[in-house]
Amino acid sequence: MTPSELHRDPYGVGLAYRFNVHQDAVKHRSEIDLLEISTEDYIVRERRTYSDPDEKLLRDALATFPCVAHGLSLSIGTVDRLDETYLNATRRFMADHGLNIFSEHLAFHRVDGNDLTMFLAIPFEEVAVQWVKRNYYAIRQWLGRPFALENVTYAFPVPHCSLSEADFLRRLCEETDCTLLLDVTNVFNNSRNHGYDPIEFFERLPMERVSQMHLAGGHQLPDGKWEDSHSAPVMEEVWPLFDEAVKRAVNTRIVILERDSKLKPFDSVMHDIRRAREIFYSHRPLEAPHRELSDITGGEALAPDPLANEFAGMRSYQRALMGRISDPGFREAFLANAPEAVKKFEVTDPAWFQRLADCDGQAMRHFEESWDYFKKEDETVAREYENREWASWAKQLGRGGW
Ligand SMILES: [Fe+2]
Ligand SMILES: [Fe+2]
């Protein structure tokens, strides 16, 4: 089978591939239907260097399993220009390896070049539907295929929005040909953290548009919040929800178990895979039902203009929100006199100002602290790297130092 046939339309229950469990995955080939490849692990140089630099393991995985691709840093909700480097690298990676199915996250996390690397909720508003719709079509054109969007765990929903999360997803499906990657653990966590009924969420969702599902482990934090740590077995409460989701989402073809760390003993991973298989195949045929893959038709391929008037409010909100997280000076100014401080980011619409002012304080403090911590850590790593570079040059030049 050629790579493009193998990866054309995978079906079944699989694993988010991590190079450090390569041998274990191969050993259990008969029980793992497919792998989900994190494109970031290969298109981001630093990540590649520390994992599988010559992509030897990856090549073996791609020859052994049907595979799909999953991206991480698109930030489709950011009202800004698309990251062409990211899109080109993703397209090239998929073409080089014959991958066909792609998915990304329905969130925003990067503003003005600052990347929080934690997902923030998109405002569940019609203007955000319109932004994501146009961005989706531009990206679809770029990648040459429709793709799935994943619901994420968010610390707080943007306050005072007119749509619920499920209605937002429904609107997006009405406006585009995207499918949904339903992360069932994220639904569970959000429903507990933000107080809604997950079954009601399913009822409002266009479940027929779900093409893929994720299951991940997590736990409850000391403050009572639920977190998808990706480092533990799937929580007991998530399984009945997964069963319900598979039953309702009749077009789901792919289920992926995500485990980023604590992958050993691998038996514990296989335990979750087996349980997911049992549920999936109790509602689905063992053989993949035939389907025609849709070609690209319709939709405006031109990327939306981030400076357009209609997106000004959302853009100013995002910039000021990231300012609160990443800029200590702005943080202080905001606390002292918010209406005055937000002029810096041209937050002129009172509705967007109110959303900014009423963001969950505890979550914002958490983001600020994480930002400061990682910034310091990044600086330390950069300094150490630089010192090492200088030291090795000095050594090569036969000098003791500078
Ligand atoms: Fe994901
Ligand atoms: Fe996920």
Side-chain angles (χ1 to χ4, degrees):
M1 208 185 262
T2 64
S4 54
E5 280 164 357
L6 182 63
H7 307 310
R8 191 174 167 276
D9 199 12
Y11 175 79
V13 178
L15 179 67
Y17 176 70
R18 302 289 173 258
F19 76 98
N20 50 345
V21 287
H22 180 88
Q23 300 305 344
D24 301 275
V26 171
K27 214 172 97 196
H28 293 90
R29 173 66 187 91
S30 62
E31 292 177 280
I32 299 174
D33 297 322
L34 74 148
L35 297 177
E36 180 194 81
I37 310 291
S38 163
T39 50
E40 242 69 4
D41 281 349
Y42 301 94
I43 65 176
V44 177
R45 194 169 60 95
E46 291 77 5
R47 287 175 75 146
R48 198 178 55 211
T49 312
Y50 291 110
S51 49
D52 178 17
D54 50 8
E55 297 188 357
K56 226 169 137 188
L57 296 175
L58 174 69
R59 267 172 231 284
D60 188 52
L62 285 158
T64 312
F65 295 86
C67 294
V68 294
H70 187 50
L72 188 66
S73 49
L74 177 63
S75 200
I76 195 169
T78 301
V79 182
D80 204 348
R81 303 216 176 278
L82 282 170
D83 182 344
E84 295 186 8
T85 313
Y86 166 85
L87 289 173
N88 280 334
T90 302
R91 181 175 57 186
R92 201 176 319 120
F93 178 81
M94 291 184 68
D96 284 353
H97 297 297
L99 292 166
N100 186 39
I101 307 285
F102 182 67
S103 58
E104 251 286 358
H105 301 89
L106 194 51
F108 89 97
H109 47 89
R110 191 177 46 248
V111 183
D112 292 331
N114 289 322
D115 198 332
L116 182 60
T117 66
M118 283 183 263
F119 297 131
L120 290 162
I122 286 181
F124 301 138
E125 276 291 324
E126 186 57 32
V127 67
V129 172
Q130 294 307 318
W131 173 262
V132 175
K133 165 192 170 174
R134 290 189 223 169
N135 235 359
Y136 168 81
Y137 278 129
I139 297 158
R140 186 188 73 155
Q141 189 71 19
W142 208 300
L143 298 179
R145 71 202 77 236
F147 58 97
L149 286 166
E150 177 180 4
N151 60 301
V152 299
T153 305
Y154 46 86
F156 58 87
V158 179
H160 318 304
C161 285
S162 57
L163 300 171
S164 68
E165 183 183 4
D167 291 339
F168 179 84
L169 292 168
R170 173 175 291 283
R171 283 288 301 122
L172 198 59
C173 288
E174 284 166 2
E175 292 281 315
T176 72
D177 64 2
C178 78
T179 57
L180 300 175
L181 191 174
L182 185 67
D183 188 312
V184 182
T185 302
N186 289 350
V187 172
F188 172 77
N189 286 346
N190 285 335
S191 72
R192 289 291 171 103
N193 292 341
H194 310 306
Y196 63 79
D197 177 6
I199 300 295
E200 217 172 273
F201 180 85
F202 290 161
E203 268 158 17
R204 297 177 80 104
L205 212 64
M207 291 297 267
E208 71 285 357
R209 292 288 284 275
V210 175
S211 58
Q212 306 188 38
M213 286 187 197
H214 273 174
L215 278 170
H219 54 260
Q220 196 171 17
L221 297 166
D223 67 0
K225 296 272 185 213
W226 295 77
E227 189 188 55
D228 59 329
S229 64
H230 291 199
S231 63
V234 173
M235 293 175 285
E236 209 42 53
E237 296 92 330
V238 172
W239 288 110
L241 213 52
F242 174 62
D243 182 84
E244 196 59 44
V246 176
K247 210 184 321 175
R248 288 165 185 254
V250 294
N251 295 317
T252 308
R253 295 174 72 90
I254 292 171
V255 173
I256 296 291
L257 176 75
E258 301 181 285
R259 182 89 71 94
D260 295 339
S261 57
K262 302 216 178 112
L263 284 137
K264 305 283 177 109
F266 197 68
D267 260 357
S268 119
V269 175
M270 285 314 298
H271 181 265
D272 278 355
I273 294 238
R274 287 182 190 122
R275 204 161 165 189
R277 287 179 72 90
E278 220 169 273
I279 293 172
F280 183 76
Y281 288 116
S282 72
H283 300 294
R284 290 289 180 286
L286 273 170
E287 288 292 314
H290 177 76
R291 69 160 176 171
E292 294 296 331
L293 285 174
S294 51
D295 282 332
I296 285 189
T297 47
E300 174 61 69
L302 263 187
D305 177 6
L307 299 177
N309 254 345
E310 62 181 304
F311 303 120
M314 186 162 127
R315 178 177 153 88
S316 68
Y317 163 83
Q318 291 182 340
R319 298 188 67 213
L321 184 74
M322 191 58 94
R324 283 184 63 183
I325 295 170
S326 65
D327 176 353
F330 180 69
R331 254 181 236 165
E332 256 177 56
F334 187 85
L335 278 177
N337 185 346
E340 190 55 34
V342 298
K343 285 182 183 163
K344 179 178 176 188
F345 295 109
E346 293 162 23
V347 184
T348 51
D349 182 326
W352 285 103
F353 173 77
Q354 212 46 53
R355 289 181 185 124
L356 190 65
D358 292 344
C359 280
D360 182 298
Q362 200 186 334
M364 287 302 286
R365 270 190 300 283
H366 169 69
F367 285 138
E368 291 165 14
E369 280 161 18
S370 313
W371 181 269
D372 291 346
Y373 174 82
F374 285 115
K375 192 150 190 270
K376 216 178 269 170
E377 207 175 53
D378 281 354
E379 281 164 7
T380 312
V381 169
R383 220 177 10 252
E384 270 174 25
Y385 182 76
E386 214 170 277
N387 287 343
R388 264 207 313 272
E389 284 285 282
W390 281 118
S392 71
W393 275 108
K395 210 169 152 194
Q396 278 184 41
L397 293 168
R399 296 163 65 163
W402 296 88

